[in-house]
């Protein structure tokens, strides 16, 4: 993106004066309205709602649940509008379950997954009466059975399939390959389901798979749906009364100029169509409820991390733009080498030069962008790191004892502070509070 040129981003576009904003509110105005400094995440609530509604609409006519993956974004201000539109949530820890419950998601709208659920996670799921727990191993099913019996309950479970699908994405976020830690091989899953059909503490409702994240090839997601259909049909053939297929999340978003967004209708049609084809062949009378667990596709494009330029400097052959955010605020570039657009909030005239846009954490990996052409920024300028609405704040940390940033939501053309930034004093107090009694200060 170049200074003064209209950006083509689906959510954050240049408005009056060429400044970057969403819903008609410039990002600098959003921070001012919300009383937030930098760094701060700014989201468009409308964008999240529209993306969710598009998926809901595409699934009309099919029994379904769209369960937003909380691990991507658990900001209450973004979730409550989804709740009101009929969304569910996918949770992977006791705390995520409690957040969902606290936000008023009913148990039948909460689904739980995760490869290493602890007894506390499972007990919380049982106590909240979640719709189902996706179980990843025999040991976990046994544990769930025991915990449910102890409570005089029968837990509802899906079995997570490892569909052995290689997703063309970053290896750290591919989860459906044969060597991944997730799920069970089809044969093991079928054996477990048959063996467990009479356990009194669990009822097996169906099958689940999730093959990875930021998947841009629909064929990959379709292949997973096909494998799920085959295993679902095999369970039916074995006489199990299964009735749910959970296709997971994984739909990718465009991150570079010129890449196209995948319409939710196209995504849904491809996944449902593939599943239906298998079922029509193998068990035509089956009409399972289909669960989708989108994370990135709902939240990613709807959020930007806004940072302020502290200094520019040159060392050796490189020019650096040092900003007040860092990998503690937004980890994806450092962890996955993820490429995110970085755009000046206010266009600055002048020929572009190449910069490494870096944060202040004491690690060389702490860079938002490398060798990126930018109109030369000045100290005090705001830059936006785009497509940061998913796995942004949720992966933020306090490394170097840096406070986590503020979160601002633009809704109906007004920006509000949805979560204040932590402060250095907050963090210092927490650290000092950890001092064991009796050790002199
Ligand atoms: N369901 C399950 C069981 C999952 O494990 C995930 C994500 C999702 C749904 C949502 O997937 P999505 O639609 O967002 O792709 N931190 C990484 C992404 C990790 C994804 C983990 N699982 C990143 O920043 O790329």
């Amino acid at each position: 993106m170049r200074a003064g040129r209209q950006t083509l981003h689906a959510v954050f576009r240049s408005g009056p004066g060429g400044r970057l904003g969403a819903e008609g509110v410039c990002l600098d105005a959003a921070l001012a309205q919300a009383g937030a400094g930098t760094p701060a995440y700014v989201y468009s609530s409308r964008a999240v709602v529209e993306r969710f509604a598009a998926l809901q609409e595409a699934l009309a006519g099919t029994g379904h649940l769209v369960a937003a993956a909380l691990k991507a974004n658990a900001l209450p201000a973004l979730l409550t509008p989804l709740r009101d539109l009929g969304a569910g949530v996918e949770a992977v820890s006791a705390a995520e379950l409690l957040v969902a419950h606290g936000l008023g998601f009913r148990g039948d709208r909460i689904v739980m997954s995760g490869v290493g659920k602890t007894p506390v996670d499972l007990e919380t799921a049982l106590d909240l009466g979640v719709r189902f727990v996706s179980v990843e191993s025999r040991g976990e099913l046994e544990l769930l059975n025991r915990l449910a019996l102890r409570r005089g309950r029968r837990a509802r479970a899906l079995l997570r399939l490892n569909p052995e699908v290689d997703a063309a994405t970053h290896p750290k976020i591919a989860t459906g390959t044969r060597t991944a830690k997730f799920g069970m091989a089809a044969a093991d899953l079928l054996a477990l389901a048959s063996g467990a059909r009479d356990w009194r503490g669990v009822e097996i409702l169906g099958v689940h798979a999730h093959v990875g994240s930021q998947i841009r090839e629909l064929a990959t997601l379709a292949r997973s749906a096909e494998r799920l259909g085959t295993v679902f049909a095999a369970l039916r053939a074995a006489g199990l009364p299964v009735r749910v297929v959970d296709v997971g999340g994984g739909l990718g978003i465009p991150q570079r100029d010129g890449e196209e967004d995948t319409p939710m209708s196209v995504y849904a049609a491809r996944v449902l169509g593939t599943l239906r084809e298998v079922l029509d062949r193998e068990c035509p009378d089956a009409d399972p409820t289909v669960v989708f667990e989108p994370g990135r596709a709902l939240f990613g494009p709807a959020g930007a991390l806004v940072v302020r330029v502290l200094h520019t400097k040159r060392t050796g052959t490189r020019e650096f733009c040092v900003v007040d955010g860092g990998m503690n605020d937004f980890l994806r570039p450092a962890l996955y080498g993820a490429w995110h657009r970085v755009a000046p909030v206010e266009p600055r005239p002048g020929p572009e030069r190449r910069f490494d846009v870096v944060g202040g954490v004491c690690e060389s990996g702490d860079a938002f962008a490398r060798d990126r052409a930018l109109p030369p920024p000045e100290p005090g300028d705001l830059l936006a790191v785009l497509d940061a609405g998913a796995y942004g704040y949720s992966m933020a940390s306090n490394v170097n004892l840096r406070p986590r940033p503020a979160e601002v939501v633009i809704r109906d053309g007004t920006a509000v502070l949805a979560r204040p930034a932590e402060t250095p004093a907050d963090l210092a107090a927490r650290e000092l509070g950890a001092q064991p009694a009796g050790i002199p200060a």
Side-chain angles (χ1 to χ4, degrees):
M1 190 161 29
R2 283 174 187 77
R5 229 180 49 181
Q6 188 85 359
T7 143
L8 296 175
H9 191 266
V11 177
F12 294 95
R13 294 173 166 268
S14 319
R19 283 143 89 137
L20 209 58
E23 300 189 30
V25 183
C26 296
L27 286 172
D28 49 341
L31 296 184
Q33 270 178 32
T38 50
Y41 282 95
V42 180
Y43 306 96
S44 159
S45 173
R46 185 198 292 165
V48 176
V49 163
E50 282 178 359
R51 298 178 73 81
F52 170 79
L55 182 54
Q56 275 286 64
E57 196 183 314
L59 298 172
T62 301
H64 71 273
L65 175 73
V66 178
L70 290 183
K71 63 173 86 61
N73 196 310
L75 185 64
L78 294 179
L79 292 169
T80 45
L82 298 186
R83 177 203 62 202
D84 295 343
L85 290 170
V89 289
E90 182 254 3
V92 290
S93 64
E96 285 192 355
L97 288 169
L98 293 173
V99 166
H101 177 69
L103 289 175
F105 286 91
R106 291 197 324 252
D108 65 354
R109 298 268 194 82
I110 304 174
V111 306
M112 181 173 216
S113 42
V115 74
K117 294 182 259 343
T118 64
V120 170
D121 294 332
L122 293 173
E123 283 163 352
T124 308
L126 286 167
D127 291 343
L128 297 182
V130 301
R131 186 163 180 142
F132 56 75
V133 174
S134 167
V135 168
E136 304 226 4
S137 63
R138 170 178 293 274
E140 188 177 63
L141 193 66
E142 287 168 355
L143 176 61
L144 183 63
N145 185 56
R146 275 200 306 280
L147 294 172
L149 287 176
R150 208 177 291 163
R151 286 172 155 62
R153 299 260 177 91
R154 189 158 198 223
R156 291 171 293 269
L158 299 191
L159 297 182
R160 179 161 173 180
L161 172 70
N162 178 336
E164 304 191 10
V165 169
D166 217 339
T169 187
H170 192 284
K172 284 188 184 160
I173 53 175
T175 50
T177 51
R178 203 155 63 85
T179 52
K181 67 178 173 178
F182 298 96
M184 292 172 260
D188 297 338
L189 187 154
L190 293 170
L192 179 59
S194 300
R197 74 172 75 200
D198 298 323
W199 295 5
R200 281 183 303 110
V202 287
E203 179 191 7
I204 293 165
L205 293 190
V207 285
H208 174 216
H210 171 78
V211 282
S213 198
Q214 184 53 13
I215 295 171
R216 300 279 292 147
E217 301 261 338
L218 287 184
T220 305
L221 297 166
R223 219 169 302 131
S224 174
E226 186 188 344
R227 309 257 152 95
L228 276 170
T230 305
V231 172
F232 180 86
L235 289 171
R236 299 258 306 188
L240 279 122
V242 284
R243 50 192 185 276
V244 179
V245 175
D246 183 337
V247 298
L251 179 63
I253 58 169
Q255 289 187 307
R256 293 178 185 254
D257 287 339
E259 285 180 359
E260 296 280 329
D261 201 6
T262 307
M264 291 295 191
S265 53
V266 172
Y267 162 59
R270 184 73 184 269
V271 169
L272 287 182
T274 308
L275 182 61
R276 198 61 256 174
E277 237 171 69
V278 180
L279 298 182
D280 282 348
R281 218 170 36 231
E282 315 265 341
C283 50
D285 56 330
D287 188 19
T289 299
V290 184
V291 179
F292 286 74
E293 304 173 340
R296 191 187 316 272
L298 291 184
F299 301 109
L305 176 68
V306 183
V307 296
R308 197 174 289 282
V309 176
L310 294 172
H311 322 282
T312 55
K313 69 178 212 176
R314 192 180 277 281
T315 66
T317 55
R318 296 187 88 83
E319 204 163 2
F320 292 91
C321 170
V322 186
V323 299
D324 64 357
M327 63 191 278
N328 61 297
D329 302 296
F330 187 52
L331 185 59
R332 302 196 73 253
L335 187 60
Y336 312 116
W339 194 99
H340 284 258
R341 282 177 271 217
V342 176
V345 168
E346 183 169 2
R348 189 170 268 291
E352 293 179 337
R353 293 208 304 269
R354 296 203 158 259
F355 290 88
D356 282 9
V357 180
V358 299
V361 173
C362 305
E363 301 196 26
S364 293
D366 180 20
F368 290 135
R370 293 197 191 275
D371 201 26
R372 200 66 71 77
L374 283 174
E378 296 280 339
D381 282 3
L382 294 177
L383 297 178
V385 182
L386 297 183
D387 299 307
Y391 307 106
Y393 190 91
S394 67
M395 294 176 79
S397 78
N398 292 129
V399 66
N400 285 194
L401 280 191
R402 291 162 64 98
R404 287 186 294 172
E407 296 190 282
V408 171
V409 171
I410 302 173
R411 192 169 177 183
D412 302 328
T414 305
V416 294
L417 186 62
R419 186 182 340 241
E422 295 171 342
T423 66
D426 293 337
L427 266 60
R430 200 186 63 196
E431 294 300 306
L432 295 168
Q435 192 165 263
I439 297 188

